[in-house]
Amino acid sequence: MSAPIVTAGLLVIGDEILSGRTKDVNIAATAEFCTDLGIALSEVRVVPDEEDMIVAAVNVLRTGYTYVFTTGGIGPTHDDITAEAIAKAFGVDLPINAEARAILEARWNETGTEITNARLRMARIPEGAELIVNAVSAAPGFRIGNVHVMAGVPVIMRAMLEAIAPTLQGGQKVDSRTVSAAVGEGALGDPLAEIQSRYDDVKIGSYPQMGHTHILTHLVLRSADIARLDEATAEVQALVDALHAKKNITLPKEPY
Amino acid sequence: MSAPIVTAGLLVIGDEILSGRTKDVNIAATAEFCTDLGIALSEVRVVPDEEDMIVAAVNVLRTGYTYVFTTGGIGPTHDDITAEAIAKAFGVDLPINAEARAILEARWNETGTEITNARLRMARIPEGAELIVNAVSAAPGFRIGNVHVMAGVPVIMRAMLEAIAPTLQGGQKVDSRTVSAAVGEGALGDPLAEIQSRYDDVKIGSYPQMGHTHILTHLVLRSADIARLDEATAEVQALVDALHAKKNITLPKEPY
């Protein structure tokens, strides 16, 4: 399997995701972002606003993957503890960063906003980190080592992803093909496994589609080798065509 | 902090979530399910269809939390490897389960579906596990130890959660109150931290609301102690009222 060599781990930080109060959308956004850049998102973890758990997860992910992305916990309130946790994970101090403070003060002056201790929390950046600009609400994220610390608010998170995109080294671009089958996974499983066994360099995934009036399966093939991808896709398409023909079906009623 | 004593970890299994092809909805469903039962969902991991990663994650989560829930990878195709991985994590065999086979064959007979090796994969259940019924498509999930293995298809996943609900021991029910503030987090941070410092038994979360014409912050208080929760909520409400009055605002234009 010609695995992409550039990998990433995502750490979603926030009690509100785990309580169900907020529905996360940053996992999907990061997954699409990585796929577009040829980076294999290899693992996601969601942890609460608890320092020990953030530190442990960051330290595991940053040694296991090329890049780590974190979302959440960089605002001005007492439950925003991501910057402390990252500083602790890297064993560095967390001073007020002059550049971050200048960016924030410029925005605060514009809007006549008082400088408070709470607001200044957002200018604390781990020693040795570089800022990630926040086009939306000024308060910056930061990159330290291979860890990119970003906001949890989706619109800010997406803006920060755009900001860091040019700094990331993409991997081998993996292309994909989809074959739609009007039969269930049960009918496809055996011959599909046989095809997969002959294509080490193509990953074949099978995704049942529920909630249709008939069951339909999407077979998704992925590979960095386009010629092999097209070859495997042709085989899968032939398999599906044969199953359709054999069963003479357009609207099957198979369970899977 | 009177932490709920019943905890859970969720393991979402599937390449399609990590590639961005499928947007996960099972995290939010499980989070709400747990909260409703008074179970604290403490961690979520998303891993690809890779045996080593599934085994490692299951073994960490099942020793760390009261319950583990997994979603995905129990269908009939070659990329459905969750049952193998769970059997491996528990060090048990994975035979064809007579009860599972009977359930599946009954459904297959009804629909005139041929029994294939691929379909029979769905009857393989780790030794010592109990079935979790699947009202939607027959193929069962299973529980082994404290690990509940369920389907990835959301409608089946939700049906399985309903099926296991009566078997779960709920924790202390945590109640919540929300105070809405027409000011940003920057103005709230310092006094809110002071209130939090006096209420160890109430967890106060602050959630900025973006995408409004004005910034509005939701302050969410959670506690198992209703009297203390209401006390803390009154303090937070008084703080917000004072900030509103002081600034004489209904539509602020504060950054945070």
Side-chain angles (χ1 to χ4, degrees):
Chain A
M1 183 98 50
S2 82
I5 49 167
V6 181
T7 57
L10 169 64
L11 182 62
V12 176
I13 300 162
D15 291 353
E16 71 277 20
I17 306 294
L18 293 167
S19 72
R21 190 180 172 280
T22 300
K23 290 196 198 325
D24 167 79
V25 295
N26 291 330
I27 295 175
T30 305
E32 283 173 18
F33 174 80
C34 286
T35 296
D36 286 348
L37 292 182
I39 295 170
L41 181 62
S42 304
E43 186 175 353
V44 179
R45 296 193 186 188
V46 186
V47 298
D49 301 310
E50 285 177 21
E51 190 176 87
D52 291 353
M53 291 197 66
I54 301 170
V55 170
V58 164
N59 279 335
V60 168
L61 296 176
R62 74 189 178 97
T63 53
Y65 304 110
T66 314
Y67 298 117
V68 176
F69 307 112
T70 81
T71 79
I74 62 167
T77 56
H78 64 278
D79 57 339
D80 291 306
I81 60 167
T82 299
E84 285 97 321
I86 300 290
K88 195 164 187 178
F90 279 83
V92 299
D93 284 341
L94 185 70
I96 297 276
N97 176 290
E99 188 187 352
R101 183 177 184 141
I103 291 169
L104 287 162
E105 288 191 346
R107 177 70 68 107
W108 295 337
N109 283 337
E110 228 176 80
T111 53
T113 304
E114 192 190 346
I115 298 175
T116 62
N117 284 333
R119 290 201 174 93
L120 277 176
R121 283 173 65 84
M122 293 188 290
R124 295 173 316 152
I125 304 287
E127 209 121 58
E130 282 172 20
L131 301 188
I132 297 174
V133 299
N134 168 356
V136 179
S137 67
F142 58 85
R143 178 191 67 72
I144 179 167
N146 60 343
V147 179
H148 301 74
V149 175
M150 294 175 283
V153 177
V155 62
I156 305 180
M157 165 67 178
R158 284 195 301 272
M160 288 181 169
L161 284 175
E162 293 307 326
I164 64 172
T167 73
L168 301 173
Q169 175 74 47
Q172 244 182 329
K173 181 78 180 115
V174 172
D175 222 327
S176 76
R177 305 278 183 271
T178 300
V179 175
S180 297
V183 290
E185 284 194 305
L188 290 159
D190 290 335
L192 204 61
E194 192 280 319
I195 296 176
Q196 176 71 84
S197 72
R198 288 184 288 105
Y199 287 89
D200 263 7
D201 46 359
V202 179
K203 189 154 193 180
I204 308 178
S206 173
Y207 306 107
Q209 308 292 300
M210 299 291 292
H212 295 267
T213 52
H214 56 281
I215 295 173
L216 191 123
T217 311
H218 283 164
L219 303 170
V220 180
L221 299 89
R222 291 185 188 278
S223 180
D225 184 331
I226 304 297
R228 289 282 288 171
L229 178 61
D230 285 336
E231 243 180 85
T233 303
E235 287 209 41
V236 171
Q237 186 65 63
L239 161 65
V240 168
D241 290 346
L243 283 170
H244 287 182
K246 176 181 161 201
K247 308 208 167 200
N248 199 24
I249 42 170
T250 47
L251 282 173
K253 49 159 215 163
E254 294 205 29
Y256 79 98
Chain B
M1 183 97 52
S2 82
I5 48 166
V6 181
T7 58
L10 169 65
L11 181 62
V12 176
I13 299 161
D15 291 352
E16 69 278 20
I17 307 294
L18 293 166
S19 72
R21 190 179 172 281
T22 299
K23 290 196 197 327
D24 167 78
V25 296
N26 290 330
I27 295 175
T30 305
E32 284 174 18
F33 174 80
C34 286
T35 297
D36 286 348
L37 292 182
I39 295 170
L41 181 61
S42 303
E43 185 176 352
V44 178
R45 297 193 186 188
V46 186
V47 298
D49 300 311
E50 286 177 22
E51 189 176 89
D52 291 353
M53 291 196 66
I54 301 170
V55 171
V58 163
N59 278 335
V60 167
L61 296 175
R62 74 190 178 96
T63 53
Y65 303 111
T66 314
Y67 298 118
V68 176
F69 306 112
T70 82
T71 78
I74 63 167
T77 56
H78 64 277
D79 57 339
D80 291 306
I81 60 168
T82 298
E84 285 97 320
I86 300 290
K88 196 165 187 177
F90 279 83
V92 299
D93 284 339
L94 185 69
I96 297 275
N97 177 291
E99 189 187 351
R101 183 178 184 141
I103 291 169
L104 287 162
E105 288 190 346
R107 177 69 68 108
W108 295 337
N109 283 336
E110 227 175 81
T111 53
T113 305
E114 192 190 347
I115 297 175
T116 62
N117 284 334
R119 289 202 174 93
L120 277 176
R121 285 172 64 85
M122 296 187 290
R124 296 174 315 152
I125 304 288
E127 208 120 58
E130 281 172 21
L131 302 188
I132 297 174
V133 299
N134 169 356
V136 180
S137 67
F142 57 86
R143 179 192 65 73
I144 179 167
N146 61 342
V147 179
H148 300 74
V149 176
M150 293 175 284
V153 177
V155 62
I156 304 179
M157 163 68 178
R158 284 195 302 271
M160 287 181 170
L161 284 175
E162 293 307 326
I164 64 172
T167 72
L168 302 173
Q169 176 73 45
Q172 242 182 330
K173 181 78 180 114
V174 173
D175 221 328
S176 76
R177 303 280 183 270
T178 300
V179 176
S180 297
V183 291
E185 283 195 306
L188 291 159
D190 291 335
L192 204 62
E194 192 279 321
I195 296 175
Q196 176 70 85
S197 72
R198 287 184 290 105
Y199 286 89
D200 264 6
D201 46 359
V202 179
K203 189 153 194 182
I204 308 177
S206 173
Y207 306 105
Q209 307 292 301
M210 300 290 293
H212 294 268
T213 52
H214 57 279
I215 295 173
L216 191 122
T217 311
H218 283 164
L219 303 169
V220 180
L221 299 89
R222 291 186 188 277
S223 180
D225 184 331
I226 304 297
R228 289 282 288 170
L229 177 61
D230 285 336
E231 244 180 84
T233 304
E235 287 210 42
V236 170
Q237 186 65 64
L239 161 65
V240 169
D241 290 346
L243 283 170
H244 286 182
K246 176 181 160 200
K247 308 211 167 199
N248 200 24
I249 42 169
T250 47
L251 282 174
K253 48 160 216 164
E254 294 203 30
Y256 79 98

